[in-house]
Amino acid sequence: MNRFRSSLLGLPRRQKRFLQVLTDIVLVWTSLWLAFVVRLGIDEMSNPVKLHVWLFVAAPIVAIPLFIRFGMYRAVMRYFGNDALIAIIKAVSLSALILAVLVYWYSNHENIVPRSIIFNYWWLSLIMIGGLRLIMRQYFLGDWFTAAQHVPFTSRNDGLPRVAIYGAGAAGNQLVAALRMGRIMRPVAFIDDDESIADRVISGLQVFRSTQIQEMIERTSAQELLLAIPSSSRARRREILSLLEGFPLHVRSVPGFMDLASGRVKVDDIQEVDIADLLGRDAVPAQSELLEHCIKGLSVLVTGAGGSIGSELCRQILTLRPTTLILFEHSEFNLYSILSELEQRVDIESLSVKLLPILGSVSNSKKLLDVMRTWKVSTVYHAAAYKHVPIVEHNIAEGVRNNVIGTLNTAQAALQSGVSNFVLISTDKAVRPTNVMGSTKRLAEMILQALSLEMAPVLLGDKNNVFCVNKTRFTMVRFGNVLGSSGSVIPLFHKQIKSGGPITVTHPKITRYFMTIPEAAQLVLQAGSLGKGGDVFVLDMGEPVRIVELAEKMIHLSGLSIRSDINPHGDIEIEFTGLRPGEKLYEELLIGDNVIATPHPMIMSAHEDMLSWDILKQRLLQLLEAVELDDYARVRQLLRDTVSGYSPEGEIVDWIYLQKRFDV
């Protein structure tokens, strides 16, 4: 049967259409003959073909051209759906109507055609022509049982993973069709909160209530559960995930509504549960006037354009119609990746945005200045930074050069070229930092705070002491961890679960703030429009999340159990490795308590202490000198004297300096 099916599918299109036409002619004749049988009975009926031969000749001559005209031979049998059924109803009904007219015109008194024959012919043709196509669809799909799994004695074990689908709406039904067509999973049940469809059958699957999950597992042997609720709120998804956590099911989901609508993904693109759903907080709708204020019709530069935040900023900036979007990135691969993605979107959406990929480092002040002057940049989003705490902790020189001097170079180039808006992407680790990364990011904030108060500062490194007129509005946006960014625990946990564990968590009490990358980037764009100069904006990150609880939820939603002293036969163990160099148990978003509300409900303005530009310049020169001399004791002291609340847990040592000292 499989070979025969494959041979039919492999026929040229012309031969397939010829077979369909030939079959439909036979079905039309059979329907017409059966119409006489139904009307007259088999015993008393004379041979209708001899009596009404003209009718049997006319029926296919009328029907087949109409079938062709209504596209019945263009439909692919494997994907036969509602539109094709409607076309069949229209074509058959019109052919029966025309045949009725012919019967009325050409019948004679000797061989009268009963009027009910036409009605019988109509409904018999619908059943036979439409029914055969439905049967052939199931045959070509290779699965006769998908629409009858709730019927006793029809179940079978085909080796496919058995999945239940949460959500019996449009997305759920599309998912069932896609899974059956792809034959990678076997859908066995629906789960839905709608009481009106509970215990009913949809697409051949029984619908269970959310309170019947255990019963569903016992009756269907489901191993996985797919969330098909793309339009539900995050709060509702969190409730559902909390409910599912107690069952031995691997929970995954179909993409969100906006991803489906934009065409970036299909409904059958199954993915692991979005960790953002576990946070349960819905994003606040963006204020379009704030989004467009610093971007629409302007030339925009993004440093670190290939990073997690930088690339998302580029995606969202592109939709706001700047004239030019400059992608400044020091990693060739990251630059190529984001450029390819954005160029594709520009072509698909016919956007009139000029994309400029610039390969360079923020340590190169001259290149930054040349780029901003050449392309008359109006807005800069400075996302370039080293952010991995343990790595920067022992690569101090590069951390200072990239995070501090890189920010200084970018800010001074913006001043010299007359950039109107400058937005720094900062971090919650800049608040009372215990590590080099946090202290360098706070120092970067202080540079912008100091420059914002100067009407005409003398820039660092200017030997001529020329005053530079300040036309730039500096803004800083501070937020916590973003889900899925480079260095995030989420991809690491997924990888560890997939490999069988253990999951490594640094400390049982460690907590972090989390936000999705798109939400963070959107708020950054809006915060940049709110600033008046020197503002430190803090994003509302919601409640901090215990990392160990996040790990536990991910294990449970993978359909696995936690291995512990209480449950020694569990699947995945959670291992505590201890805090890494410079790592804190708790992160903060504010240094002081001075916070002011803004027009946006998720953006707050913080008032932070600062140093004047003249004092800060001297500290920066001293810091540079200490880095060049590998004097990290001096670096440590300068950071402590300059950055409020900086309290390193121990001696900070660059790896190169450590090896030099060891060699001596």
Side-chain angles (χ1 to χ4, degrees), residues 13 96 111 126 167 215 384 414 444 468 519 598:
R13 183 180 299 176
N111 297 314
L126 283 178
E215 179 187 345
C468 178
E519 185 181 5
T598 71

Side-chain angles (χ1 to χ4, degrees), residues 424-493:
L424 169 69
I425 313 303
S426 192
T427 171
D428 58 355
K429 293 173 178 62
V431 179
R432 281 183 278 274
T434 59
N435 51 67
V436 174
M437 193 281 279
S439 63
T440 55
K441 291 297 288 183
R442 175 59 189 143
L443 197 48
E445 289 181 357
M446 294 174 69
I447 290 171
L448 301 191
Q449 286 179 295
L451 285 173
S452 67
L453 294 182
E454 298 289 331
M455 297 296 294
V458 176
L459 302 182
L460 185 72
D462 187 349
K463 298 177 182 178
N464 298 320
N465 290 327
V466 176
F467 293 95
C468 178
V469 177
N470 186 357
K471 298 179 181 178
T472 306
R473 183 169 56 93
F474 291 103
T475 303
M476 293 133 276
V477 184
R478 188 187 290 164
F479 54 90
N481 298 270
V482 286
L483 296 170
S485 67
S486 58
S488 171
V489 297
I490 309 304
L492 175 63
F493 285 175

Side-chain angles (χ1 to χ4, degrees), residues 41-99:
I42 194 71
D43 297 329
E44 300 181 5
M45 183 187 70
S46 302
N47 188 349
V49 179
K50 288 184 178 179
L51 293 175
H52 308 289
V53 64
W54 69 272
L55 189 59
F56 281 83
V57 172
I61 292 176
V62 170
I64 298 302
L66 287 173
F67 292 176
I68 295 172
R69 178 67 184 85
F70 279 89
M72 286 171 53
Y73 303 117
R74 292 196 300 268
V76 179
M77 201 70 71
R78 281 170 290 173
Y79 308 119
F80 189 80
N82 293 336
D83 292 341
L85 281 175
I86 291 171
I88 290 172
I89 293 171
K90 290 179 179 178
V92 170
S93 299
L94 188 56
S95 67
L97 185 63
I98 293 173
L99 204 62

Side-chain angles (χ1 to χ4, degrees), residues 62 66 84 102 105 129 138 171 184-185 246 251 309 403 508 526 547 564 578 641:
V62 170
L66 287 173
L102 292 176
W105 280 348
I129 293 172
Q138 292 302 113
I184 55 172
M185 294 179 179
V251 182
I309 292 293
N403 293 358
Q526 294 175 89
I547 302 300
S564 63
D641 293 342

Side-chain angles (χ1 to χ4, degrees), residues 8 14 41 67 74 133 144 180 197 210 212 226 294 303 317 380 387 480 486 534 543 553 583 591 601 642:
L8 285 177
R14 183 173 296 179
F67 292 176
R74 292 196 300 268
R133 279 165 168 77
W144 296 94
R180 285 172 173 168
I197 60 173
S210 57
Q212 298 176 305
L226 305 179
C294 299
T303 68
I317 288 169
V380 173
K387 298 169 289 187
S486 58
E543 294 299 320
K553 288 179 181 293
E583 195 169 38
I591 297 174
T642 308

Side-chain angles (χ1 to χ4, degrees), residues 191-470:
I191 300 170
D192 204 282
D193 300 314
D194 187 351
E195 290 293 331
S196 64
I197 60 173
D199 299 320
R200 298 181 68 180
V201 173
I202 296 177
S203 295
L205 305 179
Q206 183 171 344
V207 182
F208 291 85
R209 298 179 178 87
S210 57
T211 57
Q212 298 176 305
I213 296 177
Q214 187 59 49
E215 179 187 345
M216 181 274 296
I217 294 172
E218 292 170 357
R219 289 175 58 179
T220 64
S221 301
Q223 303 157 296
E224 299 191 26
L225 188 141
L226 305 179
L227 293 178
I229 45 175
S231 58
S232 64
S233 68
R234 284 223 184 106
R236 178 59 190 145
R237 291 170 78 90
R238 182 183 185 182
E239 290 177 11
I240 293 170
L241 290 173
S242 297
L243 171 68
L244 297 173
E245 200 179 335
F247 298 98
L249 293 168
H250 182 185
V251 182
R252 293 194 282 175
S253 68
V254 296
F257 176 77
M258 293 308 297
D259 289 331
L260 292 170
S262 65
R264 288 197 292 268
V265 292
K266 298 175 292 184
V267 73
D268 58 330
D269 285 340
I270 298 165
Q271 57 196 16
E272 294 298 329
V273 169
D274 190 347
I275 302 301
D277 294 336
L278 296 178
L279 304 182
R281 189 187 63 208
D282 290 307
V284 174
Q287 299 179 18
S288 57
E289 65 278 7
L290 292 180
L291 284 175
E292 297 176 349
H293 181 68
C294 299
I295 296 172
K296 190 173 182 179
L298 302 174
S299 178
V300 180
L301 167 69
V302 179
T303 68
S308 306
I309 292 293
S311 59
E312 183 60 30
L313 284 171
C314 292
R315 293 182 192 101
Q316 297 196 22
I317 288 169
L318 194 66
T319 64
L320 298 171
R321 304 297 196 276
T323 56
T324 307
L325 176 55
I326 303 168
L327 317 174
F328 196 91
E329 173 61 54
H330 81 286
S331 166
E332 182 186 29
F333 176 76
N334 287 353
L335 183 61
Y336 169 76
S337 298
I338 186 62
L339 177 65
S340 301
E341 179 186 333
L342 297 181
E343 282 180 336
Q344 188 176 15
R345 281 190 59 191
V346 167
D347 291 340
I348 293 173
E349 300 174 25
S350 301
L351 302 176
S352 58
V353 179
K354 187 176 185 64
L355 294 175
L356 295 174
I358 305 293
L359 197 61
S361 168
V362 290
S363 299
N364 189 338
S365 57
K366 184 179 182 301
K367 183 155 193 173
L368 283 165
L369 181 58
D370 287 345
V371 169
M372 292 186 199
R373 279 180 171 169
T374 302
W375 296 101
K376 297 179 174 57
V377 173
S378 295
T379 301
V380 173
Y381 292 96
H382 181 50
Y386 290 143
K387 298 169 289 187
H388 196 278
V389 170
I391 291 179
V392 177
E393 195 68 12
H394 294 304
N395 290 273
I396 301 162
E398 287 307 307
V400 170
R401 290 191 183 101
N402 198 63
N403 293 358
V404 179
I405 305 307
T407 301
L408 176 68
N409 291 340
T410 313
Q412 292 193 151
L415 280 171
Q416 291 172 283
S417 58
V419 167
S420 301
N421 309 290
F422 187 105
V423 181
L424 169 69
I425 313 303
S426 192
T427 171
D428 58 355
K429 293 173 178 62
V431 179
R432 281 183 278 274
T434 59
N435 51 67
V436 174
M437 193 281 279
S439 63
T440 55
K441 291 297 288 183
R442 175 59 189 143
L443 197 48
E445 289 181 357
M446 294 174 69
I447 290 171
L448 301 191
Q449 286 179 295
L451 285 173
S452 67
L453 294 182
E454 298 289 331
M455 297 296 294
V458 176
L459 302 182
L460 185 72
D462 187 349
K463 298 177 182 178
N464 298 320
N465 290 327
V466 176
F467 293 95
C468 178
V469 177
N470 186 357

Side-chain angles (χ1 to χ4, degrees), residues 14-33:
R14 183 173 296 179
Q15 292 185 26
K16 289 178 182 176
R17 288 184 175 176
F18 175 76
L19 283 175
Q20 284 182 282
V21 170
L22 196 61
T23 303
D24 283 344
I25 291 173
V26 172
L27 291 177
V28 166
W29 282 338
T30 304
S31 300
L32 191 57
W33 185 82

